[in-house]
Amino acid sequence: MWGGRFAAGPSAIMREINASIPFDKALWRQDIAASKAHVAMLGAQGIVSADDAALIADGLDKVAAEYEANGVPEDWDLEDIHMTTESRLAELIGAAAGRLHTARSRNDQVATDFRLWVRDACEQADAGLQALQVALVMRAGEHADSIMPGFTHLQTAQPVTLGHHLMAYYEMIGRDRSRFADARARMNRCPLGAAALAGTGFPIDRFRTAEALGFDGPTDNSLDSVSDRDFALDYLMAAAQCSLHLSRLAEEFIIWASQPFGFVTLPDSLSTGSSIMPQKKNPDAAELVRGHSGRIAGCLTALMITMKGLPLAYSKDMQDDKPPVFEAAGLLALSIAAMTGMVAKAAFRTPRMRAAAELGYATATDLADWLVRQANIPFREAHHITGSAVKLAESRGVALDQLPLADLKAIDTRIDERVYAALSVEASVAARASHGGTAPVEVRKRVAEARVALGLED
């Protein structure tokens, strides 16, 4: 491949460190597509003959069929997917195969292939996340009235509904989808035709190849086209943030499935047992999702450090751009699928959730709010009065609404019997009907809006 420039071939070490075919063979579909677009343009521009262009296109289809049937062969002497394909094409059609590389370099070729692959990865992530959103919305609709404790610092804070809790993740996943969409929109410019770094002297039509490959247009600077991988970093940043959301959701299920909580029974299909303790049902799928988030963040860091400080244009360091992206995409797809199944198939133990919501004085804020509304007491004073009531109830081991009225009046005479209507968990969640609040009526509104957004309603 290097022609007459070198007197001797590469050493075994150089051969091994230089070869990328073990991982960049994943780009074969994109490489075939980009090559077909390129040769069609060369033929249309008269740079290669129509007969050669047709012969090359037919040969590329034959190579693609072989790859589809048998996989991509790994000949390390050919280094990468680009030379592997060109070599096989030459075996099939002869010398005409050499015309395919006219007016392009492996630099713009790999930049194009990789963009196409990452673009597909954005679309695949979006489709998976949409399915997760559907699962969240369906379960939220079932549990718009199901009361559970809401937490801050993992301490009981205020009652919320399970539907409201699940819809919080619907919102997070929606933002994740928007990040993948933004990344896809930014990367949708075609580097093909930038050649090695300076463009080409052949009369190519870069707009034609860009359109053929579904890009919005060609990139506008040949140096930038072959030297940057910010499109891959955009994908990894979106993937890393998404994995953090998935990890948080996984952690919720891990905690909820533990015996002290007992809020949920996980599906058998996403759980494992113990080799020694027959009673165990371990949330391994959720734990692996939690673990994958660290690996995906590591993939982002790896590519960021690889790209740091590289001078223009192409450097061989950039060959290491693909493994972290491929790894992250695989892990993310598994994580999304696991959490979609978890949400869809988990059995929520709502009586247990409601009982837990009644513990920990979750309606204390409702007492303070009642004092503000009904007794016209400044909130800070109401907060102090409520704290005294909680202390008394705690000392007696009872809930706030179990304290006798006489005891509440002893704390503050402005409290009357109407307060008890505000101290139930049902009253607490119903009262929070502000936009985006946990009240069942608000949860149903958000679920209805989400169903329309997801195309679940006509």
Side-chain angles (χ1 to χ4, degrees):
M1 177 182 62
W2 296 341
R5 172 65 178 83
F6 291 82
S11 69
I13 293 173
M14 186 61 202
R15 175 176 172 273
E16 184 166 349
I17 198 172
N18 196 48
S20 59
I21 187 63
F23 55 83
D24 70 17
K25 64 184 180 181
L27 299 175
W28 73 261
R29 289 181 177 83
Q30 292 76 22
D31 196 61
I32 295 288
S35 291
K36 289 185 69 175
H38 183 66
V39 76
M41 180 274 296
L42 293 177
Q45 294 296 105
I47 299 171
V48 302
S49 70
D51 288 345
D52 280 347
L55 183 63
I56 290 169
D58 183 64
L60 288 168
D61 285 337
K62 288 183 171 65
V63 174
E66 291 179 357
Y67 290 170
E68 189 71 61
N70 306 313
V72 179
E74 292 188 20
D75 183 344
W76 287 20
D77 287 330
L78 295 174
E79 292 188 11
D80 56 32
I81 184 59
H82 320 299
M83 294 309 302
T84 298
T85 297
E86 187 174 325
S87 174
R88 180 55 182 153
L89 182 65
E91 292 173 353
L92 291 172
I93 70 171
R99 300 190 185 280
L100 173 60
H101 209 54
T102 306
R104 77 174 183 184
S105 161
R106 282 191 297 173
N107 292 355
D108 62 333
Q109 189 177 357
V110 69
T112 303
D113 294 354
F114 197 21
R115 279 194 193 224
L116 289 169
W117 194 97
V118 176
R119 191 177 70 180
D120 289 344
C122 287
E123 294 173 357
Q124 291 160 10
D126 182 73
L129 291 173
Q130 182 180 27
L132 175 54
Q133 282 189 306
V134 170
L136 288 164
V137 166
M138 298 298 288
R139 300 311 303 271
E142 294 174 28
H143 293 285
D145 295 284
S146 301
I147 294 173
M148 64 174 289
F151 300 97
T152 63
H153 309 279
L154 207 54
Q155 304 291 310
T156 299
Q158 294 175 325
V160 297
T161 62
L162 175 57
H164 190 57
H165 195 112
L166 293 173
M167 287 301 288
Y169 284 98
Y170 168 84
E171 297 293 338
M172 295 181 210
I173 298 305
R175 293 191 296 275
D176 291 329
R177 291 183 67 188
S178 74
R179 276 182 276 270
F180 284 112
D182 288 346
R184 190 198 184 286
R186 266 191 302 278
M187 73 179 64
N188 206 37
R189 307 279 287 190
C190 184
L192 196 59
L197 76 162
T200 178
F202 289 95
I204 62 173
D205 184 349
R206 294 190 62 206
F207 289 89
R208 180 189 179 101
T209 49
E211 181 179 3
L213 294 170
F215 288 104
D216 295 331
T219 51
D220 292 329
N221 184 284
S222 60
L223 282 168
D224 172 58
S225 301
V226 300
S227 68
D228 206 357
R229 294 295 185 266
D230 58 354
F231 65 91
L233 287 168
D234 272 354
Y235 170 80
L236 287 175
M237 289 175 190
Q241 177 59 74
C242 180
S243 74
L244 297 182
H245 286 153
L246 296 173
S247 179
R248 296 184 75 180
L249 180 58
E251 175 69 0
E252 304 263 30
F253 276 94
I254 292 165
I255 292 172
W256 292 354
S258 66
Q259 281 75 18
F261 273 76
F263 287 1
V264 68
T265 300
L266 299 182
D268 290 350
S269 58
L270 293 169
S271 305
T272 65
S274 166
S275 63
I276 190 172
M277 295 171 284
Q279 83 281 8
K280 294 294 293 298
K281 184 176 182 180
N282 299 326
D284 281 13
E287 290 173 350
L288 287 166
V289 169
R290 189 176 59 184
H292 286 353
S293 65
R295 291 175 63 187
I296 292 171
C299 291
L300 169 61
T301 301
L303 185 53
M304 290 176 70
I305 299 306
T306 296
M307 296 303 300
K308 180 190 69 64
L310 292 185
L312 296 181
Y314 182 83
S315 298
K316 196 66 170 180
D317 314 43
M318 292 165 65
Q319 181 168 290
D320 286 337
D321 57 358
K322 287 168 282 297
V325 175
F326 294 164
E327 179 182 2
L331 293 172
L332 184 66
L334 279 173
S335 296
I336 294 170
M339 294 318 302
T340 301
M342 195 83 65
V343 170
K345 297 178 182 179
F348 294 106
R349 301 174 64 188
T350 53
R352 177 94 173 203
M353 288 183 167
R354 189 193 182 286
E358 293 181 322
L359 302 175
Y361 308 101
T363 58
T365 306
D366 297 278
L367 174 55
D369 288 348
W370 184 90
L371 290 167
V372 172
R373 287 195 304 267
Q374 301 298 328
N376 198 29
I377 298 173
F379 182 80
R380 287 302 171 199
E381 183 181 353
H383 187 284
H384 180 77
I385 294 168
T386 301
S388 299
V390 169
K391 184 177 181 180
L392 177 62
E394 190 174 42
S395 70
R396 295 184 180 179
V398 299
L400 279 173
D401 60 357
Q402 294 175 327
L403 285 174
L405 181 59
D407 289 339
L408 289 172
K409 280 186 168 293
I411 294 171
D412 193 283
T413 58
R414 290 166 289 190
I415 300 176
D416 61 44
E417 66 278 356
R418 294 174 299 167
V419 74
Y420 291 105
L423 294 182
S424 71
V425 289
E426 287 82 6
S428 177
V429 296
R432 283 164 173 78
S434 56
H435 180 82
T438 192
V441 65
E442 277 298 306
V443 174
R444 290 192 182 92
K445 286 181 183 177
R446 303 288 81 76
V447 167
E449 292 168 356
R451 289 179 65 89
V452 172
L454 292 169
L456 301 176
E457 302 290 347
D458 294 332

